[in-house]
Amino acid sequence: MALSAQQIPRWFSSIKLRRFINVTQLTKRFPRPGKTLLNGSCAWPQLSSDNYFLQWGYKTYRTSSLWNSCQSTNSSRQESNSAQSTLLPSVNEQSEKIQKIHSFDSDLFLEELDDLPPLSPLQSVSEEEAIQIIAAPPLPPASFTLQDYVDHSETLQKLVLLGVNLSQIEKHPDAANLLLRLDFEKDIKQILLFLKDVGLEDNQLGTFLTKNYAIFSEDLENLKIRVAYLRSKNFSKADIVQMVKNAPFLLSFSVERLDNRLGFFQKELELSVKKTRDLIVRLPRLLTGSLEPVKENLKAYRLELGFKHNEIQHMVTRIPKMLTANKRKTTATFDYVHNVMNIPHHIIVKFPQVFNTKLLKVKERHLFLAYLGRAQYDPAKPNYISLDKLVSVPDAVFCEEIANASVRDFEKFLKTL
Amino acid sequence: MGSAGLARLHGLFAVYKPPGLKWLHLRDTVEMQLLKGLNDFKPPPPKQRIRFLLSPVEDSEEKGLTLTATSVPSLTNHPLVRGPAFTNLKIGVGHRLDVQASGVLVLAVGHRRRLLTDLYDAHLTKAYTVRGLLGKATDDFQEFGRLVEKTTYDHVTRAKLERILSVIQGSHQKALVTYSNLDLQSQEAYEMAVRGLIRPMNKSPMLICGIRCLHFAPPEFLLEVQCMHETQQQLRKLVHEIGLELRTTAVCSQVRRTRDGPFTLDDALLRTQWNLHSIQDAIRAAAPRVAAELEKSLRPLSGTQPLPGPAEPQGSAHPSSASGLEP
């Protein structure tokens, strides 16, 4: 047992160096959130770069191994091993790895034993040393929330202060695991500096990282190449900031994919280069989202709603959101505006905002105007009410300026629908 | 604090359901708006965490380290770490309205949802306005259903319509007495009838307590119906049957509930008012009325004083005068 007592800390350090290189990146003594259960009978204290902590951890371990006193060095090593690999996703895989690590280690093991300080649990410690032993309660080895770890990880604390919403990220266990293993100085700082270089403001970083936490695993060179690609397409710096802010995943797309998608929009809509650029800057979500709904919407506008190609071009450049809108909703809105309100295509084309509004709102206002006898949408006649005004002003302004009625009357009318 | 806001949310309130919106969708929208309001409250100040930090000892003779207790703010309950304080609310829906119908819909939040059961057991009447259109018939009795038949309606007059309506009302009143399981010759029945409280206390087919014509301008007509145990589709069918009785056909273009038990149109919140503050106010305003109404209807014989019964304006004083259509 004494032998194993000496072996294990050393073994830890060798493991630490070779297999779990990430461990050293933890700034604080810190647990791994894993999904697996520990094999050991006690919760194994977490790995740490802190020597004292290691000693303490070892001691706990030893007591537990004394409980099940018939354990050989070998098995105890395995046990500690399994305790260590809490990250591994399943128990089966875990044991597999244990075997691997074990065989791999056995050669090196003996040579490294010599330079270890002789440590024994019975050794008395001085006051000064004792005071430096931090006996924090062990953190949960597995947890479904980052809440347990945030007070012990400098990385997480800094991310929270940046404004990253951890409660959103922890919904993706893989992302949360990744975040725990990162070191602020080494991994995160460079990404942050890069984003600052791109032009994001401090208060935008939090929301950006909440969405695109995967950027931490991206290669910095690739990111730079992507930004350079966007610059080469004549997007100005302000444009790129706007795009990255509104579509955080933009930087996670490869250059080929970005190029394909830019090409798709230019070809499908037959817009000029400058107009395509404006469209993308206004709604960068087009580049990161799926292209299928866009194709389907364009078909629906042309075949189902009967707009001409140049009309679609005009509307899309005015309201890019029309491309990603829900097809069922736009069709319903068009049906009401065209067939009930009797507004011809060429007027709808001038006011595509109507597709951006709730159908219920259009309906309510139109019915109120019709009730008052003011529903007059023909620009050639007096008392013309433009669609834009009908849909884009708030209720109070609508009642006062367009309907010439009080808000109370409008509400009363709504209760008769 | 959000929990204080939640405490004031337990209760009943009414919303105005616009036509074309599913009640489940409406409930989810209200829940989302309430959660938004509750989560907007300022989070509590961060908890302090006591940590023992190493610090050098100054005053003592020997140089050394000691532990000093310091409190550092803990991020565990930071809103960005913990997530929103409220993620779901328990909201119950009273008597349903189908998609095309509009009007007063009662919602209940939190532990007052059980009042909905009490309201259901009270068998209060509901008031509807039903708009009909003469001259055509559709397969689902609604205006835009598949057209089945077209007819002329020149011969229909208001007097004819009202005659049909009174026949319907009479037959339903007869059914009402049958389903209420009361002996009409008893003093008890008399007292309840005086207070307008005769009604079935368990399941029954749709019963109409009052029906009258508000507006008649062929082909359109507008009816006011007070009824219980109805569905909106049954009301549409009623319009269809009125059309057949008038020797023509009719479809129903609007079903709108103007009152559900104690909740009237004035209490109903419009779509723009579905936010935390309006709903809290509405709940506070409605609470005493709901309690009074339930008290009155669940213990009908507790008071001897005859009270005016707003729930059933037609009363049931002449139950034997009706004959004709069966419901």
Side-chain angles (χ1 to χ4, degrees):
Chain A
M1 269 339 231
L3 183 69
S4 77
Q6 290 174 0
Q7 279 172 359
I8 284 164
R10 184 64 224 169
W11 184 85
F12 267 167
S13 61
S14 69
I15 284 289
K16 200 165 64 191
L17 284 176
R18 258 178 289 111
R19 278 201 57 83
F20 296 97
I21 199 77
N22 291 329
V23 173
T24 47
Q25 293 171 2
L26 287 172
T27 42
K28 286 272 173 179
R29 49 210 72 81
F30 197 73
R32 313 291 201 65
K35 293 172 198 159
T36 58
L37 292 169
L38 295 187
N39 281 353
S41 55
C42 73
W44 182 253
Q46 303 306 312
L47 256 198
S48 150
S49 50
D50 190 319
N51 252 338
Y52 287 101
F53 190 66
L54 234 169
Q55 276 175 29
W56 175 79
Y58 164 66
K59 277 171 205 160
T60 356
Y61 170 66
R62 188 168 154 84
T63 42
S64 85
S65 70
L66 280 173
W67 278 346
N68 353 334
S69 52
C70 58
Q71 277 174 337
S72 68
T73 335
N74 215 344
S75 70
S76 69
R77 211 184 296 145
Q78 277 196 7
E79 191 175 321
S80 65
N81 201 341
S82 65
Q84 208 188 18
S85 53
T86 45
L87 264 181
L88 303 179
S90 77
V91 182
N92 287 341
E93 210 176 313
Q94 196 176 330
S95 55
E96 208 181 282
K97 288 243 165 127
I98 290 164
Q99 292 308 320
K100 238 188 269 172
I101 295 166
H102 180 57
S103 59
F104 188 63
D105 277 339
S106 49
D107 321 326
L108 291 163
F109 210 74
L110 292 172
E111 293 133 45
E112 287 173 3
L113 285 179
D114 307 336
D115 40 303
L116 267 181
L119 283 172
S120 148
L122 300 175
Q123 195 183 8
S124 57
V125 254
S126 72
E127 278 291 306
E128 232 170 88
E129 274 173 353
I131 216 168
Q132 287 179 38
I133 297 175
I134 295 167
L139 287 164
S143 170
F144 61 89
T145 163
L146 289 174
Q147 243 178 325
D148 294 333
Y149 307 115
V150 74
D151 270 341
H152 304 271
S153 158
E154 217 169 307
T155 314
L156 289 187
Q157 281 171 12
K158 281 185 175 159
L159 285 178
V160 169
L161 295 180
L162 268 176
V164 179
N165 196 338
L166 294 186
S167 65
Q168 293 281 325
I169 293 183
E170 76 191 14
K171 287 177 190 159
H172 314 273
D174 297 339
N177 277 342
L178 170 79
L179 222 56
L180 278 173
R181 264 172 283 154
L182 293 176
D183 177 33
F184 190 82
E185 291 298 321
K186 260 171 70 183
D187 305 310
I188 295 182
K189 207 171 177 182
Q190 50 176 3
I191 298 282
L192 289 182
L193 286 175
F194 165 74
L195 289 176
K196 292 280 282 180
D197 278 347
V198 169
L200 283 182
E201 299 287 330
D202 288 348
N203 53 3
Q204 293 162 354
L205 285 176
T207 39
F208 176 88
L209 292 176
T210 306
K211 277 266 178 329
N212 192 358
Y213 43 81
I215 202 171
F216 294 129
S217 48
E218 294 275 349
D219 188 18
L220 197 59
E221 284 308 309
N222 280 343
L223 295 177
K224 280 179 182 159
I225 289 171
R226 285 166 205 167
V227 173
Y229 168 76
L230 289 177
R231 293 304 295 271
S232 77
K233 289 284 168 190
N234 271 337
F235 286 104
S236 76
K237 183 153 182 171
D239 286 348
I240 295 179
V241 175
Q242 174 92 353
M243 286 160 70
V244 169
K245 196 180 74 186
N246 290 338
F249 283 107
L250 190 70
L251 290 179
S252 301
F253 277 58
S254 70
V255 170
E256 292 82 30
R257 211 162 161 207
L258 284 178
D259 195 45
N260 267 341
R261 284 168 169 239
L262 277 174
F264 168 81
F265 283 106
Q266 198 170 345
K267 209 169 76 216
E268 199 79 0
L269 296 168
E270 293 172 21
L271 292 172
S272 69
V273 179
K274 189 178 172 301
K275 282 204 169 155
T276 315
R277 205 180 297 134
D278 285 347
L279 177 76
I280 298 296
V281 171
R282 284 188 59 190
L283 196 71
R285 195 148 50 88
L286 287 175
L287 282 186
T288 54
S290 167
L291 294 182
E292 278 311 313
V294 176
K295 282 180 198 165
E296 193 156 335
N297 270 336
L298 283 174
K299 276 231 172 70
Y301 289 132
R302 205 176 67 240
L303 302 174
E304 223 171 299
L305 309 187
F307 286 108
K308 291 192 203 80
H309 188 75
N310 57 342
E311 289 175 336
I312 296 175
Q313 272 184 348
H314 178 76
M315 287 197 293
V316 161
T317 42
R318 289 278 299 281
I319 305 283
K321 218 174 149 188
M322 283 180 71
L323 286 176
T324 52
N326 185 338
K327 190 184 126 197
R328 203 165 44 83
K329 277 184 188 163
T330 40
T331 318
T333 311
F334 178 82
D335 180 42
Y336 193 81
V337 172
H338 187 67
N339 295 333
V340 179
M341 293 165 70
N342 286 326
I343 299 179
H345 279 87
H346 67 269
I347 295 185
I348 298 179
V349 170
K350 281 184 193 143
F351 305 106
Q353 295 93 327
V354 77
F355 290 108
N356 226 351
T357 344
K358 279 197 180 116
L359 175 59
L360 217 53
K361 194 171 163 186
V362 180
K363 233 185 216 173
E364 283 171 356
R365 291 186 173 187
H366 166 69
L367 287 172
F368 187 49
L369 289 178
Y371 176 73
L372 294 175
R374 299 178 143 268
Q376 208 285 91
Y377 306 111
D378 186 353
K381 291 181 188 161
N383 286 333
Y384 161 66
I385 289 167
S386 78
L387 268 185
D388 173 39
K389 271 201 172 165
L390 183 74
V391 298
S392 56
V393 291
D395 269 355
V397 182
F398 166 76
C399 291
E400 192 187 327
E401 287 183 7
I402 300 171
N404 279 345
S406 70
V407 179
R408 187 177 291 272
D409 286 345
F410 184 48
E411 285 176 356
K412 258 194 190 142
F413 174 77
L414 289 184
K415 285 189 183 176
T416 65
L417 285 183
Chain B
M1 274 303 292
S3 49
L6 184 64
R8 276 185 284 138
L9 262 184
H10 295 288
L12 295 177
F13 66 99
V15 295
Y16 190 86
K17 184 183 106 62
L21 189 70
K22 286 187 180 118
W23 63 262
L24 187 63
H25 191 260
L26 182 146
R27 180 214 164 274
D28 290 344
T29 317
V30 170
E31 183 187 10
M32 198 190 68
Q33 293 290 340
L34 284 179
L35 286 175
K36 207 195 260 174
L38 287 173
N39 287 328
D40 274 350
F41 282 101
K42 217 166 83 57
K47 269 191 203 161
Q48 298 291 314
R49 194 163 58 103
I50 307 292
R51 288 197 61 191
F52 295 97
L53 297 176
L54 283 177
S55 62
V57 182
E58 292 125 17
D59 52 271
S60 60
E61 57 278 2
E62 52 174 320
K63 286 255 173 178
L65 294 168
T66 182
L67 292 176
T68 47
T70 46
S71 65
V72 289
S74 164
L75 282 178
T76 316
N77 278 330
H78 194 283
L80 285 181
V81 179
R82 192 191 48 190
F86 297 92
T87 52
N88 63 333
L89 280 176
K90 292 185 169 169
I91 298 181
V93 183
H95 300 279
R96 312 276 194 261
L97 280 171
D98 62 18
V99 181
Q100 288 310 319
S102 61
V104 181
L105 183 68
V106 181
L107 298 178
V109 188
H111 57 249
R112 291 292 164 81
R113 279 173 305 153
R114 64 172 175 224
L115 284 184
L116 287 178
T117 322
D118 295 346
L119 265 187
Y120 179 80
D121 292 338
H123 302 280
L124 299 172
T125 57
K126 283 154 269 175
Y128 286 85
T129 57
V130 180
R131 195 183 294 274
L133 209 60
L134 293 170
K136 57 178 183 172
T138 54
D139 57 346
D140 59 353
F141 314 129
Q142 295 187 28
E143 195 182 358
F144 297 108
R146 200 165 55 79
L147 195 64
V148 174
E149 191 181 2
K150 269 191 172 180
T151 48
T152 56
Y153 48 85
D154 302 333
H155 58 281
V156 179
T157 60
R158 182 165 187 144
K160 276 184 184 166
L161 175 65
E162 275 172 358
R163 198 157 65 231
I164 302 284
L165 294 184
S166 64
V167 167
I168 291 174
Q169 182 173 332
S171 67
H172 276 269
Q173 267 172 9
K174 199 173 174 190
L176 189 70
V177 175
T178 321
Y179 281 105
S180 63
N181 289 334
L182 279 175
D183 181 8
L184 273 186
Q185 305 303 319
S186 66
Q187 176 71 16
E188 182 196 12
Y190 170 74
E191 276 172 14
M192 285 178 73
V194 162
R195 294 171 59 198
L197 282 175
I198 288 193
R199 68 211 153 164
M201 283 320 250
N202 36 34
K203 279 186 182 168
S204 75
M206 176 172 78
L207 292 172
I208 294 171
C209 312
I211 180 168
R212 65 196 179 103
C213 177
L214 291 178
H215 180 71
F216 183 75
E220 265 197 4
F221 61 97
L222 190 66
L223 303 177
E224 189 192 62
V225 184
Q226 313 221 349
C227 53
M228 58 179 74
H229 300 170
E230 83 295 341
T231 64
Q232 285 76 43
Q233 193 59 21
Q234 280 170 337
L235 286 171
R236 293 191 189 105
K237 195 174 176 197
L238 179 77
V239 170
H240 174 74
E241 280 165 359
I242 289 173
L244 293 181
E245 284 296 320
L246 287 169
R247 304 288 177 266
T248 174
T249 49
V251 289
C252 179
S253 56
Q254 187 195 35
V255 177
R256 169 171 157 256
R257 182 149 73 197
T258 51
R259 182 176 57 78
D260 183 357
F263 292 95
T264 61
L265 267 187
D266 296 331
D267 309 320
L269 298 174
L270 282 170
R271 200 160 50 89
T272 44
Q273 297 164 329
W274 296 347
N275 53 48
L276 185 65
H277 284 289
S278 313
I279 289 177
Q280 278 174 343
D281 292 345
I283 284 173
R284 203 174 43 229
R289 265 185 308 126
V290 175
E293 190 77 21
L294 287 176
E295 176 84 6
K296 192 182 116 194
S297 54
L298 289 179
R299 258 178 286 155
L301 292 178
S302 59
T304 47
Q305 198 81 342
L307 295 168
E312 277 162 82
Q314 296 297 322
S316 310
H318 321 288
S320 56
S321 67
S323 63
L325 281 177
E326 281 303 311

